[in-house]
Every structure is written in structure tokens, then in C-alpha cells.
Amino acid sequence: MGKIFEQLTQFTAEANNVAEFLVLGLEVDVVGDEAREVLLSEWAEANGHSLRPLGERSRFQRLVEGEASCWLGHRHFKDLLHGIYGPDPQRSRSVAAELVASIGPADYQWADFAIDDWTFCDVLVVTQPLRGIVIAFLAED
């Protein structure tokens, strides 16, 4: 999972974060939904945000690898890569597919919701045993 974290961090720097893109990767000692919540809490704290209580957020949906690739290659990632490669939606889809394939077997969970300051988040949380990554795109609600 280190490769996707490094590559996304590099894209963010190269594109001057035009998509309000935030990524966090870290080790976790729990699995499943508990790992997701630990990662989200750490992500929010690291970026100066506060999460609303679980019942006030949209429910997370589990995705399969192909759906996670489509999510990543969709408009947000396309906007991020546009700042690097120019307008090439096919390239964003192929880069997204390569990045997701590099993860290997994982639990993918997606949701969109507003955080406490009313910033809208479109979030993918990817977990494997002992590690995870949060990929989030932010926009004003």
C-alpha cells in the first residue's frame, strides 16, 4: 500500500493540490469498520477537521477493486491529474487502475458526507491487515 500513498502524495504536490485532495496512510492494529473509523479520526485530526458522529454521516459502502478504481479515476482524480498531464480522462482511468491494482487484496469503503465545518468530503478508505489509507477529496458544501 506504500506505492499508492507515495504516488498520490507526489501527484498532490505536482498538481498544487488543485482538487483539494488529502491522503493519509498509517498502520492500524484493528480491522474492518473499526480500522476505518480509526483511520478517519486520524485523517481528520491530521488535517484540522472534526468528524461528525457516526450516526450523522452517510453510511459507508463496500466496493470491489474495480469499483474502487472507477471511483479513483472519476472526476476528482481526473481534476488532480489534469494539473500534471493536461485533459486526458483515459490517462486518469488507467493511472487509477494501476494504483488500485498495486494495493492487492484490500477492504475498500466509500462514502460522502459533510464534516463539522460543512466541508463536503468524498472519501475512500482502504484497509489491509495492519495498515490503511484514506483518500479524500474536499469541496465546500
Side-chain angles (χ1 to χ4, degrees):
M1 194 160 334
K3 178 183 178 184
I4 189 171
F5 178 75
E6 291 170 12
Q7 191 67 55
L8 291 173
T9 302
Q10 179 182 341
F11 286 151
T12 302
E14 288 179 28
N16 294 322
N17 204 16
V18 294
E20 293 298 322
F21 174 78
L22 299 171
V23 61
L24 173 80
L26 47 105
E27 294 181 10
V28 290
D29 58 0
V30 293
V31 295
D33 293 347
E34 189 176 356
R36 180 196 68 221
E37 291 303 309
V38 167
L39 285 162
L40 278 176
S41 294
E42 292 291 330
W43 169 82
E45 185 177 318
N47 291 289
H49 296 296
S50 297
L51 293 175
R52 293 179 181 185
L54 190 57
E56 294 179 25
R57 290 186 262 140
S58 301
R59 295 191 126 161
F60 273 82
Q61 299 175 26
R62 282 200 156 69
L63 304 178
V64 297
E65 183 178 315
E67 292 170 319
S69 177
C70 287
W71 178 88
L72 186 59
H74 193 52
R75 62 183 168 87
H76 306 297
F77 193 61
K78 183 178 68 176
D79 291 346
L80 182 68
L81 291 183
H82 182 275
I84 300 168
Y85 302 119
D88 187 352
Q90 180 55 41
R91 183 156 191 172
S92 68
R93 287 190 295 272
S94 65
V95 169
E98 289 172 24
L99 289 174
V100 170
S102 76
I103 295 171
D107 182 29
Y108 300 93
Q109 295 187 47
W110 165 84
D112 57 6
F113 53 85
I115 53 181
D116 264 355
D117 67 358
W118 292 100
T119 300
F120 177 78
C121 299
D122 193 357
V123 179
L124 181 68
V125 179
V126 183
T127 55
Q128 292 175 321
L130 303 178
R131 58 186 167 182
I133 189 169
V134 177
I135 304 168
F137 296 93
L138 305 181
E140 293 301 315
D141 189 24

